[in-house]
Structure formats: C-alpha cells, structure tokens
Amino acid sequence: MPVLTGDAARKQIAGGTVQPVYLLVGDDEWEQADLAAAFTDLVDEGFRAFNVERFYASERPQEAEASAVAAARGLPMMSPRRIVFLLRAERLLKLKGRRAEADEEGAGEERGNAKSAAGPLEEYLKAPEPMTTLVIVAADANKTLRLVKALYTHAAVVECWGLKDGREAKGWQLPGIARKAESWVRQKVAEEGRRIDPDATRLLAERAGADLGRLRADVDRLILYAGERTRLTRDDVEAVAGAETSHDAFAVTSAVEQGRTGDALKQLALLLDAGAASFMVLGQLGWLVRERLGPAQPARARAMLDAVLRTDLDLKTSGGDPRVLLERLVVELSGGPAPDRRAPAPGSGLRGR
C-alpha cells in the first residue's frame, strides 16, 4: 500500500473507509496522538469501554503483540467497529532476532522456514478482522525486518516525521525545513483568525528548527499571550517563544507576581519540559494567590482563587491537557487577557505512559 499522510488518514476516518490495520510510525507524537484520538472517535463514547483497547509493547513486546492480536480478533459489542491500539511498538518493530534472521538477502533456507518464524501479528495481516481497526504506533521501525515489510505491504502506513521528510532527516540545515516550518506557522495562525509578521514567522521557525513539537508549543503560547489581538509581531515571539533562560522552580511565580506574562509562559514551558509535576506547579501558584497576589489585589482575589480551584478540578478530572490548563492559569494570574476557559481534552493517552 502507498504511504499515507496524516491528512489522508483523517479523510479515510471521516469518510468511514478505514483499513483493518494502520501503522503510525515516526517521532511526531502530537500527530500520532491526534490520529489515535480520531480513531477512538469512531466508537461512540458510551461503548468505548467495550470496544477500545490499548496494549503497550514497551516492556514485553511479544506478549503485547499476542494480546493485541487476540483482542483484534474479537467482535465489537453494540458498535459497528472495534479499535485496538498496540502502542510503543518500536521495540517490536526493531527487534533483532527470529524475524530478522529470515530477512537477510539470499537466505533462502531461512525463508523456507518463514511459517515457523512468523509471529501472531504477521499471521493476522494475512486475514485481519474486517470489523476491527488495529492501530500500531511506533517511534521507529527497522524496514529490513520481515514483519515491518509485511506491514508496509498489507497495512495502511502513516509516517509521522513532522517537518522532516523521513527518519534520516536531522538538523536545521536540511533543505526545505525552514520553508516548511514557516508555512506551517502561517497556516496555524490563519486557522486562529490572525496574521503574523514575516520576521516573527522566521524567528519562530529558527528557534524550533526541525522540532515540530516545540514549534507547536511556541505557536500555542504565542496565540494565548496575544489575547484578542489579531496581529502577531516579532516582539510577541521574543516574549514567549523558546529562548532558554533558567530552570528555577520559582521563576514562574516570580514572573506571574511581577505581571510578566510572556516570561511566565516561557518559564512554565521550561519547568514542565524539565519534568516538573503539574500539581507541584499548581501548588506554587495557589500559594502565590493566597499569600501574595490576593492580599495585594483584593479586588481580583476572588477571581484568582476561583481560577486556581477550577484548574485544580480540571487537572483531577482530566478536564484538559495539563500544560494548556496551567498556561491559561498563568495568563489569568499575571493580568493578561482572560482566556477561553475551555481546554482541549487529552488525545489518546499516548503521552506519559
């Protein structure tokens, strides 16, 4: 089968013409998570407990492979389709061993033993269950392995490499990456009903390089920081996007207290990227409201405390992406424009597992 783009896969999903097996391979976790969420939406929310299953190949890849295939062979319950995810499958798809031995060119005798070497997933590809969609998600795959060759032949493969053309593309100097990054920024900003100055676009692209995840985060912070303004400038980018400063645990609260919204967002990103727990950050912000901001700004004290409590509830009930929730709280507390209180729900649980 031909390799699909993410948009082509979404069209298949929206049109109800999904394939029995998909391989989502690449290092763009956002794209993979977004596609996984789209597959999950094929099952009515009330029946997902019976028809959506996830297996992780990060610890015992062969056991996860067998379990996922067994689940995929089951029929959906009160739903026209069943969705099975095999996540963290790079360990399975890069495995050196019984499958790799049969993949060497000229190994005719070993190819004669292919049937005994085939694992459950390879056998499943020969006759997949038509009422199930099996979605295999991997950061990388060894294309010399027979199993991977079988997936590229019989499954719908979506390569998720972000701005890069493939796995081997690395570094900012690669041809076309700067142009793709700038085009992506303009498209994203236009989707939000805004426009961005050319020098601001270039700066965003330069700071993110080939890292589409970082570029996404920078653009999201930029839009949040701009509030209701429709024109985004280089000064806005300088305020929020990507420049490394420090990993001081209290840098966020200091910036919020001083009303430096852009710096607060930047410091929050650094803190979370360094591994800080979202509830630790929320605790610091709650202390700041109770001990410093509230007494100093009594007219805003109630609204600020409500914002903290709302964020705490949303974090505990999975009411949105933790990073987005904290970014919006930081904007409110630092005196920025009141943001839309709705935060997008988590995609598919691909991250942080």
Side-chain angles (χ1 to χ4, degrees), residues 30 41 105 133 174 201 241 266:
W30 187 94
D41 288 342
E105 291 296 331
T133 295
L174 290 173
T201 303
K266 191 158 48 181

Side-chain angles (χ1 to χ4, degrees), residues 306-327:
D306 286 346
V308 172
L309 295 176
R310 183 188 69 244
T311 304
D312 179 58
L313 179 62
D314 286 342
L315 286 173
K316 290 177 178 175
T317 60
S318 298
D321 184 294
R323 182 181 290 260
V324 174
L325 293 171
L326 290 172
E327 285 178 346

Side-chain angles (χ1 to χ4, degrees), residues 97-245:
R98 56 187 175 89
R99 294 187 184 89
E101 292 173 0
D103 290 330
E104 299 297 330
E105 291 296 331
E109 182 177 346
E110 291 178 352
R111 290 183 185 275
N113 295 327
K115 185 174 181 179
S116 61
L121 180 53
E122 192 173 344
E123 291 292 337
Y124 181 78
L125 289 171
K126 298 175 183 177
E129 167 55 51
M131 299 179 71
T132 294
T133 295
L134 173 61
V135 183
I136 303 157
V137 183
D140 200 359
N142 180 354
K143 290 184 179 180
T144 68
L145 296 185
R146 195 181 65 199
L147 173 59
V148 177
K149 290 179 180 179
L151 284 166
Y152 269 79
T153 299
H154 299 292
V157 178
V158 184
E159 293 193 343
C160 306
W161 299 111
L163 298 171
K164 300 178 294 184
D165 292 327
R167 178 174 61 86
E168 300 301 329
K170 297 178 182 178
W172 172 244
Q173 297 300 325
L174 290 173
I177 286 185
R179 184 177 64 256
K180 289 180 182 178
E182 292 182 25
S183 176
W184 186 92
V185 170
R186 288 192 295 269
Q187 178 181 345
K188 176 68 174 177
V189 168
E191 288 173 358
E192 296 292 332
R194 306 171 194 243
R195 59 190 178 91
I196 183 168
D197 292 348
D199 57 343
T201 303
R202 283 193 297 272
L203 183 58
L204 275 170
E206 288 169 2
R207 288 189 171 178
D211 187 344
L212 184 56
R214 176 174 175 176
L215 189 61
R216 282 193 181 99
D218 284 347
V219 171
D220 287 345
R221 280 195 296 275
L222 177 64
I223 291 171
L224 183 63
Y225 172 73
E228 298 300 319
R229 287 188 290 112
T230 57
R231 179 191 171 194
L232 309 179
T233 68
R234 183 185 177 94
D235 287 342
D236 295 328
V237 175
E238 291 278 8
V240 301
E244 298 290 334
T245 50

